[in-house]
Amino acid sequence: MKTLLAFSIPLLLISLVWSGYLEYDQDVLIPQDWTRVGRVDPTEELELTFALKQQNVHLLEEKLKLVSDPDSAQYGKHLTLEEVASLVHPSELTQKVVRHWLHSHGITNCLTIRTQDFLQCKMTAEVAEMLLPGSRFHRYVRDSHSIVRSSAPYSVHDDVHQHLDFVGGLHRLPPKGQDLSKKPQQHKAGLHLGVTPAVLRTRYNLTAADVGSTQNNSQAVAQFLEQYYHPADLAEFMNMFGRTFQHLSQVDRVVGTQGAGKAGLEASLDVEYIMSTGANISTWVFTNPGRHESQEPFLQWMVLLSNMSDLPWVHTISYGDDEDSLSTAYMMRINTEFMKAGVRGISLLFASGDSGAGCKHMGKQQNSFRPSFPASSPYVTTVGGTSFKNPFKVTYEVTDYISGGGFSNVFGMPDYQASAVKGYLKTVEATLPPPSYFNTSGRAYPDMAALSDNYWVVSNRVPIPWVSGTSASTPVVGGMLSLINGQRLLKGLPTLGFLNPRLYKLKGQALFDVTEGCHLSCLDEQVQGKGFCAAPSWDPVTGWGTPNYPALLAALLAE
């Protein structure tokens, strides 16, 4: 079996059948920050990704529920990658039809993965445009980055479309990264001037003894959007801020190729803080610049998870897109990939975003809130953000106004959160935004939160203050879950895996409830920039609240 190394994210929407072909992506929207510079030479090599229809996705979902529910007799009985592959691999007919279709166009240079549900194939642009009628490949540039995409809808013969979820590498353009900096506030003498590992460990009650101590435990961050960390920055950060607790100053494994450019602020933040709360735990970095202009790194990372049997137990990812910029077919398939990770005992944590409730501007029509994906996926744990009530003291926490949160317009509310969310909607009914702004029956997020405001980061050998975003809170929570996994493994217990069913059954136990503050949304007459507000128990700004580590450890160590 060959190993598949890189993939592309698509944007795919099945719209109609005509003349024996099924058309995808009737409206291809190119973001304004990308500039088209011309058609690709017909002989230029592209790499496209074919997502083959999987079997037994409903059984996979049922299995995930059973192994993630602490009240189930199957709780913690996770599957191996081989068992996952035997459950979901495409049928023989699907594999035969897709391969015959590719071979009929002279495409034979393809790689597959262990679950057999993705193919990555190389071909010239001319062949790709013949394979996918309607597609026209152009080169686009933004800043110093260059990618190849098709600006037009494409079609697939209807004999083939029933065997494919999507073809990747045609339409999806990477979103622009978040601005992680906030304006510095006035300093006050004698008080802490920003969040450091020591501040986090004080606030969340981590002692010097709360560090990793088991060999079979590991954690990971994933980097996209040309983001790289520098080992020298990590060593300098730990020298400055890690002296009060045992820690590691090096990443154990880099999967992918680190770029040669400057360190990215987000990459530095992720690595430095997951290794501060998840101290002394083996840490991996998945770095996915994309080996080819027709690749998109997020799906490359997702597929790598399906091709590696030995993986870290906790992954934190600070990456997302507007839900309405992605097709339902694409998001449903990515959800299946998340389920494949969850049934293996892997915890996936995603940042909730830094745009509050978001806003979709509708022109003359009424605006609406704009949820983010993968934050809105029912199969990941989504982390929001908080600030200290007094930004210069270790006090209680309030909402960080940028904290992403809301209700999916695509995915229904999962059973595990229905009671909590309905309780919130009832409690704050009188002060909710107008119902036309959000979907009360959708998957609600975030699930929990942590401090996301005014962090110190070392990047390119320079200490940088006032770095903010849920890109900070997510690795902080991930590191603590890694510590808890370590303690579970020492007791002979399985890893936490997909956390949400167990988290919601705690009903806020072992977390600091955040009850003050609102996040931002549409600047219009109706809501005037205010989205949802924090409230007792769960809310769509900070979830269940922030971790009280010793209490959370005790709650999640119970068998």
Side-chain angles (χ1 to χ4, degrees):
M1 186 72 69
K2 294 182 180 179
T3 300
L4 185 54
L5 297 175
F7 279 87
S8 319
I9 280 188
L11 174 58
L12 173 151
L13 180 62
I14 297 176
S15 52
L16 53 96
V17 176
W18 55 279
S19 302
Y21 282 81
L22 189 99
E23 187 175 43
Y24 297 84
D25 273 321
Q26 242 182 326
D27 299 307
V28 180
L29 302 176
I30 303 299
Q32 293 180 348
D33 55 342
W34 287 95
T35 302
R36 191 165 82 181
V37 295
R39 283 290 297 270
V40 171
D41 187 285
T43 63
E44 181 161 338
E45 186 177 74
L46 306 180
E47 290 184 359
L48 300 182
T49 303
F50 301 86
L52 280 64
K53 287 279 187 186
Q54 298 154 311
Q55 299 185 103
N56 302 317
V57 173
H58 63 293
L59 295 180
L60 177 69
E61 183 173 25
E62 286 302 313
K63 187 67 176 178
L64 179 66
K65 289 178 180 178
L66 291 172
V67 300
S68 307
D69 181 356
D71 295 333
S72 164
Q74 292 189 43
Y75 178 70
K77 295 181 179 178
H78 300 125
L79 303 185
T80 64
L81 176 59
E82 289 69 26
E83 290 170 331
V84 172
S86 68
L87 184 65
V88 302
H89 69 84
S91 69
E92 292 294 329
L93 177 61
T94 289
Q95 295 184 61
K96 183 177 180 180
V97 167
V98 173
R99 287 182 181 276
H100 181 267
W101 172 58
L102 295 170
H103 289 171
S104 70
H105 287 81
I107 300 167
T108 57
N109 187 2
C110 295
L111 302 176
T112 188
I113 62 171
R114 293 169 72 172
T115 49
Q116 299 180 304
D117 45 8
F118 285 99
L119 284 173
Q120 179 188 357
C121 301
K122 294 181 179 180
M123 67 203 76
T124 64
E126 181 178 33
V127 169
E129 291 178 358
M130 291 177 61
L131 179 75
L132 305 166
S135 61
R136 293 189 299 275
F137 287 90
H138 294 80
R139 179 165 281 101
Y140 295 84
V141 296
R142 181 179 70 189
D143 302 327
S144 60
H145 307 312
S146 171
I147 62 173
V148 171
R149 295 292 187 270
S150 170
S151 60
Y154 68 94
S155 57
V156 171
H157 195 279
D158 58 2
D159 287 341
V160 178
H161 88 259
Q162 61 187 302
H163 299 286
L164 287 175
D165 282 328
F166 57 72
V167 181
L170 278 96
H171 296 147
R172 181 78 193 96
L173 281 86
K176 207 165 182 67
Q178 295 280 354
D179 180 4
L180 299 178
S181 60
K182 285 186 179 179
K183 292 181 180 178
Q185 304 170 36
Q186 284 284 288
H187 291 183
K188 295 185 180 181
L191 303 171
H192 83 78
L193 301 176
V195 174
T196 64
V199 169
L200 290 168
R201 295 178 77 87
T202 298
R203 169 57 186 157
Y204 298 133
N205 293 319
L206 289 150
T207 70
D210 290 317
V211 296
S213 59
T214 182
Q215 294 299 310
N216 57 339
N217 191 22
S218 55
Q219 59 192 3
V221 298
Q223 307 295 350
F224 314 110
L225 305 176
E226 303 295 328
Q227 283 280 328
Y228 314 114
Y229 92 101
H230 282 182
D233 291 337
L234 174 60
E236 179 68 17
F237 178 87
M238 288 301 183
N239 183 52
M240 292 179 66
F241 299 116
R243 297 186 178 186
T244 60
F245 56 92
Q246 187 179 355
H247 62 267
L248 300 174
S249 295
Q250 291 183 326
V251 166
D252 273 351
R253 183 172 176 185
V254 174
V255 182
T257 304
Q258 279 269 91
K262 288 185 176 181
L265 189 58
E266 184 163 299
S268 304
L269 173 71
D270 288 354
V271 173
E272 289 164 9
Y273 279 92
I274 197 171
M275 294 182 69
S276 295
T277 52
N280 213 43
I281 294 174
S282 174
T283 301
W284 297 19
V285 172
F286 285 81
T287 180
N288 296 292
R291 295 181 296 108
H292 193 282
E293 288 177 312
S294 62
Q295 294 176 346
E296 208 289 335
F298 178 77
L299 192 59
Q300 173 191 350
W301 167 78
M302 202 72 259
V303 173
L304 276 173
L305 297 191
S306 281
N307 206 37
M308 299 176 69
S309 56
D310 179 25
L311 283 170
W313 297 115
V314 172
H315 296 249
T316 75
I317 305 96
S318 303
Y319 181 89
D321 240 328
D322 295 326
E323 203 179 62
D324 58 40
S325 74
L326 303 166
S327 75
T328 300
Y330 163 68
M331 290 186 285
M332 294 294 285
R333 175 58 183 263
I334 293 299
N335 275 344
T336 302
E337 300 307 305
F338 293 153
M339 286 191 275
K340 285 162 63 178
V343 296
R344 295 171 62 190
I346 296 167
S347 302
L348 300 178
L349 278 66
F350 277 85
S352 70
D354 297 343
S355 302
C359 185
K360 185 174 184 179
H361 299 282
M362 303 294 288
K364 294 182 179 180
Q365 298 179 345
Q366 182 177 286
N367 297 331
S368 63
F369 294 160
R370 198 170 203 178
S372 175
F373 182 84
S376 65
S377 169
Y379 306 106
V380 302
T381 299
T382 304
V383 182
T386 61
S387 303
F388 282 123
K389 176 67 172 178
N390 181 335
F392 306 104
K393 290 184 178 179
V394 180
T395 59
Y396 70 91
E397 294 161 75
V398 297
T399 294
D400 187 347
Y401 69 93
I402 66 171
S403 179
F407 296 78
S408 173
N409 289 321
V410 177
F411 310 112
M413 188 180 299
D415 292 342
Y416 62 73
Q417 69 170 186
S419 175
V421 177
K422 288 173 183 175
Y424 169 81
L425 293 172
K426 184 176 181 181
T427 300
V428 301
E429 184 176 8
T431 56
L432 281 171
S436 57
Y437 276 73
F438 66 102
N439 172 25
T440 57
S441 62
R443 170 0 182 186
Y445 70 96
D447 304 301
M448 58 191 304
L451 286 161
S452 57
D453 196 24
N454 294 343
Y455 277 65
W456 278 95
V457 176
V458 174
S459 190
N460 298 298
R461 304 302 294 273
V462 178
I464 302 172
W466 314 109
V467 176
S468 300
T470 53
S471 299
S473 55
T474 307
V476 165
V477 172
M480 283 187 263
L481 294 182
S482 292
L483 288 178
I484 294 171
N485 267 342
Q487 293 300 308
R488 288 181 61 86
L489 291 168
L490 284 173
K491 287 186 66 176
L493 299 173
T495 56
L496 291 168
F498 177 44
L499 181 64
N500 290 8
R502 185 160 191 171
L503 176 67
Y504 280 79
K505 285 191 175 183
L506 292 177
K507 298 183 178 179
Q509 174 194 348
L511 293 108
F512 295 116
D513 198 4
V514 179
T515 60
E516 290 184 27
C518 308
H519 63 184
L520 53 83
S521 72
C522 299
L523 281 168
D524 58 26
E525 290 185 14
Q526 282 268 67
V527 295
Q528 299 179 25
K530 188 172 86 171
F532 299 102
C533 297
S537 268
W538 181 92
D539 60 68
V541 191
T542 62
W544 285 107
T546 63
N548 179 3
Y549 177 73
L552 190 61
L553 172 65
L556 295 179
L557 269 184
E559 296 185 37

